[in-house]
Amino acid sequence: PSEETSRRLTVDEMYLVDSGGQYLDGTTDITRTVHWGTPTDMQKEAFTRVLMGNIEISQTVFPSGTSGVRIEMLGRRALWEVGLNYGHGTGHGVGNYFGVHEWPVGFQNNNIPFKAGMFTSIEPGYYKENDFGIRIEDIAVTIPVHTKYGHNFLTFDTVSLVPYDRKLVDTLLLSSKQLQWLNNYYEKIRQLLGPELDKQGLHEEKDWMLRNTEPFTEAGSSASVSSSSLTLIALVFALHNIV
């Protein structure tokens, strides 16, 4: 930002932060969208539908060797149902000591089929021109999964460990399976980050994490998120010691 283009943020708008860094043990690329005030009904629905797309890809089970382009529409389906869409890719490979956006892994026509051990971002979004933008980006690794009738199948294991803004999640839109995935993800964050934050003496960050990973219920959530973006970013970068 420059003096000509920068402006003061307010509590009455969405804030999207696309963060990351390169460490000795890997590269991170995590995007979260938050609202520090009271989101509109449309903002909340759009955010929840973006989250639904993220979850649908994250929990899908598919044969090893499946091209990402065959999975990509799962990230858009909840948005398409109400006439919304986004104009960027749904995910990309993540490099180590190279490019954060690294070909050939991803969800486009020219990406190679998925095999076990590949890292990719999963990042659906929605952008209303001159109003607000939403993106939810996680990094996931493809892992083997045993199905009821066959082997050589894969699913995604989300390795980004950052909660989503609770006040933007309308759980009434989520299916029971999506809600279960979300609560399982939050329990994973607690189990992995809790001891690490204790180890580093980050007590304020741990309190924030615990508040924002309370289990959701199907009746909806009225919990609020901290208004400090610095806390969120600190939590993101605290991950590098355990990735």
Side-chain angles (χ1 to χ4, degrees), residues 4-206:
E4 290 74 27
T5 62
S6 63
R7 65 176 178 84
R8 185 177 297 276
L9 297 174
T10 74
V11 298
D12 299 319
E13 61 187 320
M14 306 278 272
Y15 177 64
L16 186 159
V17 54
D18 190 341
S19 67
Q22 292 182 312
Y23 305 96
L24 295 177
D25 45 6
T27 299
T28 65
D29 190 10
I30 305 172
T31 302
R32 290 292 181 264
T33 305
V34 299
H35 197 301
W36 296 312
T38 302
T40 66
D41 291 342
M42 195 275 179
Q43 289 173 334
K44 190 171 181 177
E45 179 176 359
F47 180 93
T48 303
R49 291 185 178 277
V50 172
L51 178 61
M52 291 164 68
N54 184 295
I55 293 174
E56 280 301 290
I57 292 179
S58 299
Q59 69 180 2
T60 191
V61 174
F62 55 93
S64 179
T66 299
S67 298
V69 69
R70 296 188 175 184
I71 303 172
E72 198 261 0
M73 63 83 56
L74 294 175
R76 300 177 184 268
R77 183 170 60 187
L79 290 165
W80 286 354
E81 289 175 350
V82 292
L84 303 179
N85 202 6
Y86 55 93
H88 58 75
T90 301
H92 57 80
V94 181
N96 186 22
Y97 293 107
F98 193 60
V100 175
H101 294 196
E102 184 173 296
W103 189 85
V105 177
F107 295 91
Q108 305 306 308
N109 286 319
N110 64 342
N111 292 135
I112 63 175
F114 282 117
K115 295 182 180 180
M118 292 180 173
F119 285 85
T120 183
S121 71
I122 300 174
E123 50 180 300
Y126 171 70
Y127 310 88
K128 186 176 181 182
E129 188 173 1
N130 297 320
D131 194 344
F132 65 89
I134 299 168
R135 188 180 301 201
I136 300 173
E137 178 185 21
D138 291 312
I139 303 302
V141 59
T142 52
I143 59 172
V145 61
H146 295 298
T147 65
K148 182 177 181 180
Y149 294 112
H151 304 290
N152 203 29
F153 278 71
L154 302 174
T155 190
F156 292 105
D157 179 25
T158 301
V159 297
S160 304
L161 304 175
V162 183
Y164 311 114
D165 188 340
R166 296 180 72 88
K167 71 168 61 175
L168 287 168
V169 179
D170 183 356
T171 56
L172 295 178
L173 294 175
L174 301 179
S175 68
S176 295
K177 188 176 180 182
Q178 291 168 344
L179 191 65
Q180 181 181 15
W181 184 96
L182 183 57
N183 284 334
N184 289 342
Y185 174 58
Y186 277 8
E187 180 60 28
K188 177 181 178 180
I189 293 175
R190 286 174 164 237
Q191 291 180 358
L192 294 179
L193 271 189
E196 180 63 27
L197 294 172
D198 284 337
K199 177 182 175 182
Q200 296 190 31
L202 298 173
H203 305 301
E204 182 180 353
E205 287 79 1
K206 183 181 179 181

Side-chain angles (χ1 to χ4, degrees), residues 185-240:
Y185 174 58
Y186 277 8
E187 180 60 28
K188 177 181 178 180
I189 293 175
R190 286 174 164 237
Q191 291 180 358
L192 294 179
L193 271 189
E196 180 63 27
L197 294 172
D198 284 337
K199 177 182 175 182
Q200 296 190 31
L202 298 173
H203 305 301
E204 182 180 353
E205 287 79 1
K206 183 181 179 181
D207 289 343
W208 181 93
M209 181 270 291
L210 292 175
R211 289 196 308 272
N212 288 278
T213 54
E214 287 288 335
F216 284 96
T217 66
E218 299 206 27
S221 171
S222 61
S224 62
V225 70
S226 166
S227 64
S228 173
S229 64
L230 294 179
T231 303
L232 175 62
I233 295 171
L235 183 58
V236 170
F237 288 106
L239 304 180
H240 78 272

